[in-house]
Every structure is written in structure tokens, then in C-alpha cells.
Amino acid sequence: MKIIASNFKTNHTRKSTKIFIENINTFLNENNIKNEVFVFPTATSLDSFSLNTNFTIGTQNAYHTQNGSFTGELGTDQLDEFDIKTILIGHSERRHILGETQQQISQKYNYFKSLGYKIIYCIGEPLDVKEQGLTETLGYIWEQFDGIDLDYDNLILAYEPVWAIGTGVVATTDEIATIHKKIKKKINKPLLYGGSVKPANLQDILNIPNVDGTLIGTASWIEEDFKEMIQITANIK
Ligand code: PGA
């Protein structure tokens, strides 16, 4: 069964997140949907929710610590309060806007791996790399696996070309098929696609070989659209 994940980024309030999550849970129940569904809300919206076993709330980020003096960061004490055991690591906005290096990312990865967290690990090339061709693109992506244990059981990968994130420019079917095939050949883990996924293109993307699901930003923030995309995902066998 295909996976669907929503990354809220810096959107929704604590109040609107609660309503969103509860309504999605009701939707999953009413439609008997068993696919794995993830939502990554803002840190201020993390909470204890009573959800179906296939619906998981994760954190968009955290620091490799239990607690301590790391201003602005979350540790596992804060995540444990809400039983959060799922984390997004390596997202392009953290790499390219917040300046996380591969070394910091692998440190974070190894810490949360040691605690058994489910990790959605993101990779993807910026436009200037894509324009240099497939070899350079793959070379760039392989470097994003430096220090990352690819045998980890609780690992899900997400290929998200940077030029397709939040831009409305989705990678073509051929582009997605090519990169996913290469990654899968090397790493046999669930592999999501992300980058301008929306109700209108989701089904085509899910039908591409080696696409095990999607990680969705912008289009997932509207509850009705996210429900529609969950239903599309559930309809694919
Ligand atoms: P987008 O974001 O769907 O808005 O392109 C995807 C992501 O960053 O995970």
C-alpha cells in the first residue's frame, strides 16, 4: 500500500492543526483507509492525539539531545511528552535555507536511529545540479547519503528535487522514474516522491514504478485536498 505524508512546514496554528488532524482521522475511519498516513505539524502544534494505528504524527525537526541548552531546538524530552517517534531529516529547506550540513544531518540521523525513531530521510538536487545531467545529479544525491546507515529498518526515503519543491514545477514522469529506479537499485527502502504533488498529478505519480508514496507540502495544507489525495492513494493497489 502506498504511503502519504504531509509536511506542514511553517503553516497552520495549534488550533487549526488539531482540527485538521482530528478530521483526517475521522476520514480514515469512515472510509476504512489502511494506508500509512503521516502529518508533520509545526513544533508548537505537537500534542497527544488519539489516532488510528496507520496515522502518525511526526516532528519536522529536533536536535540530537534529550534536553539541555540549545536555544530554539527540541529534544527527546519534548517529543516523548507526546509520544512522537517519527522525524523528518534532511529536508531541502533545512539543508538550503537553514544551512544544515551533511555532517550535522548524519549526526541527527544517527542519534534518532539509535533511539529507534522512524526516519523520513529527504534527498534531492538543486536546479543547477540537475542541469549538469544525470551523472552529476546522482553523484549529488549519493553524497547526501554520507554518514547515513541505509540498512536501518525504520527508514523511509523521500526524493524531492529542490527545483520542484513549492514551485509548482513537478518533475516529469520520466525524470521521476529514472531517479527512483537508480535509488531503489542501490537502496531497497520505501521511496516517496515529493515536489509540487497535488490532487491533479498524484495518481500519475503514484503509478510510476518504484514510487512508494508521496511527501506533500503546499497542496496538503488544505484539508479537503489532503483528503482527496488520501483517497487517491488508497485507491491504488
Ligand atoms: P511542495 O513541498 O509539495 O510544496 O512542493 C514538498 C516538500 O517540501 O516536502
Side-chain angles (χ1 to χ4, degrees), residues 7 9 91 93 160 164-166 195-197 215-218:
N7 176 7
K9 309 189 179 184
H91 190 275
E93 284 148 18
E160 300 200 298
I165 295 179
S196 297
V197 175
L215 175 56
I216 312 169
T218 316

Side-chain angles (χ1 to χ4, degrees), residues 8-64:
F8 272 19
K9 309 189 179 184
T10 319
N11 297 282
H12 276 291
T13 60
R14 183 171 179 79
K15 196 171 164 188
S16 69
T17 298
K18 185 175 191 302
I19 297 168
F20 184 104
I21 288 172
E22 285 171 354
N23 288 348
I24 294 300
N25 197 58
T26 305
F27 179 79
L28 296 175
N29 275 328
E30 284 174 354
N31 295 282
N32 198 25
I33 291 173
K34 303 287 181 217
N35 298 65
E36 251 190 297
V37 179
F38 295 90
V39 170
F40 294 86
T42 66
T44 59
S45 306
L46 295 177
D47 207 341
S48 298
F49 297 99
S50 170
L51 303 176
N52 293 359
T53 50
N54 59 318
F55 184 16
T56 305
I57 304 304
T59 185
Q60 294 176 21
N61 185 41
Y63 198 66
H64 53 276

Side-chain angles (χ1 to χ4, degrees), residues 102 105-107 109-110 143-149:
Q102 186 59 30
I105 289 167
S106 72
Q107 196 171 21
Y109 183 94
N110 286 316
E143 280 180 15
Q144 294 181 318
F145 290 121
D146 279 357
I148 302 298
D149 172 10

